[in-house]
Amino acid sequence: MDLTTGPLATLRDRPLKDAVAQAARAKPGYRDHPLDQNDSRGAEPLVEIRDHGIAGANAYHEGLPPYHSPIPGAVPDLLLRKGVVARLREVNDRLAPYGLELWVFDAWRPVALQNHFHDDWMPARLRALHPHWTDAQVMAETGRYFARGAPAGGIDPASPPPHATGAAVDLTIRRMSGAELFMGTIFDDLSAASNTAHFEAEPEGLAFSHHEARANRRLLFWLMEAAGFANNPTEWWHFSLGDQMWARITGVNNAYYSVPA
């Protein structure tokens, strides 16, 4: 694997600060973005990504860090829309000559799991960390990382949580059947360090870890963008295609993936 020359080296050197800043400006209000429920693409089935050559393991079901135990409502499956999986395969095709591949942490997410994180898990940790915060402050910070779910599991098809659509995916790059590339934080590190552009500023000194994380985040970002995905600017690992966040960030008039049939 030589990432110092060739097309991937160019992507590792390409700044992403401006693109991420634009996405951050566009993102607010994305759950109100128009969604065309009559678009034929919305009828695409969910498929198990590992049956289509995409590697991964459901982090919430496996109880990987930072959780260290299975999360209530998690499932072992990694399900995405068929069209989204086809785009991920395009990314893998570009990575394969370098001995690299995508590794997926999370894909379609049951609404019970979404509710757990948005309504219980994240607010409890924020209140413990910031006991003087108001409820509004807690929910605003929660919303930076977890979309609201749905009362009693009833999802509004005009405003579904991204992961409930099967069009949003959390992932990284790894060496084939080996270690993940260093991205500067673990998956679901809910802090400013997880902002996609966190490492864009030039550090003092050599700072090899900073440079490596920055280059690898750039690589992931630009590969996924070239395949049509949009990145959630607060989470380097979160990408989507066809959902409301994607439509808002890319400026497309209508999203087309709602709740799978």
Side-chain angles (χ1 to χ4, degrees):
M1 179 185 70
D2 184 359
L3 292 177
T4 62
T5 61
L8 295 197
T10 300
L11 298 183
R12 284 164 56 88
D13 288 337
R14 182 181 175 186
L16 51 71
K17 181 178 179 181
D18 290 345
V20 174
Q22 187 280 327
R25 290 190 296 268
K27 178 184 169 183
Y30 73 90
R31 293 283 291 273
D32 296 322
H33 196 87
L35 195 163
D36 183 0
Q37 297 182 56
N38 295 316
D39 191 303
S40 61
R41 290 170 292 185
E44 286 178 8
L46 293 173
V47 297
E48 168 57 62
I49 68 168
R50 289 165 292 195
D51 292 340
H52 294 265
I54 308 297
N58 193 304
Y60 301 124
H61 185 266
E62 299 294 323
L64 300 180
Y67 307 106
H68 298 286
S69 63
I71 302 299
V75 295
D77 313 277
L78 288 174
L79 305 174
L80 288 173
R81 299 291 189 135
K82 186 176 181 180
V84 175
V85 174
R87 298 294 186 91
L88 294 181
R89 288 176 60 89
E90 292 178 13
V91 177
N92 260 359
D93 287 343
R94 294 188 67 183
L95 289 169
Y98 297 85
L100 299 172
E101 65 182 351
L102 295 174
W103 175 262
V104 173
F105 301 114
D106 183 38
W108 172 81
R109 189 181 295 171
V111 71
L113 180 63
Q114 193 72 34
N115 287 343
H116 170 76
F117 278 119
H118 182 272
D119 299 345
D120 302 319
W121 188 90
M122 187 66 170
R125 277 147 184 80
L126 288 173
R127 290 189 175 102
L129 186 63
H130 304 286
H132 302 298
W133 276 16
T134 65
D135 287 347
Q137 287 175 303
V138 168
M139 295 317 297
E141 184 66 10
T142 295
R144 285 171 52 83
Y145 301 101
F146 291 107
R148 71 180 188 272
I155 299 175
D156 178 359
S159 183
H163 278 282
T165 67
V169 59
D170 298 331
L171 47 67
T172 190
I173 299 171
R174 71 168 186 172
R175 293 172 176 82
M176 286 185 176
S177 303
E180 298 167 16
L181 298 192
F182 179 68
M183 296 289 180
T185 75
I186 62 172
F187 164 65
D188 265 11
D189 182 337
L190 305 180
S191 70
S194 291
N195 294 349
T196 305
H198 180 76
F199 291 102
E200 284 298 295
E202 188 66 30
E204 295 183 4
L206 294 175
F208 290 132
S209 293
H210 184 116
H211 284 279
E212 186 65 18
R214 181 173 66 187
N216 290 333
R217 288 191 187 191
R218 288 173 174 178
L219 176 61
L220 178 61
F221 181 92
W222 294 120
L223 283 172
M224 294 295 288
E225 187 198 60
F229 290 86
N231 169 249
N232 180 352
T234 60
E235 300 176 347
W236 60 259
W237 54 81
H238 179 115
F239 294 85
S240 64
L241 190 155
D243 69 348
Q244 288 170 298
M245 186 185 297
W246 166 85
R248 176 74 70 156
I249 289 172
T250 59
V252 174
N253 289 336
N254 298 289
Y256 51 87
Y257 287 132
S258 180
V259 183

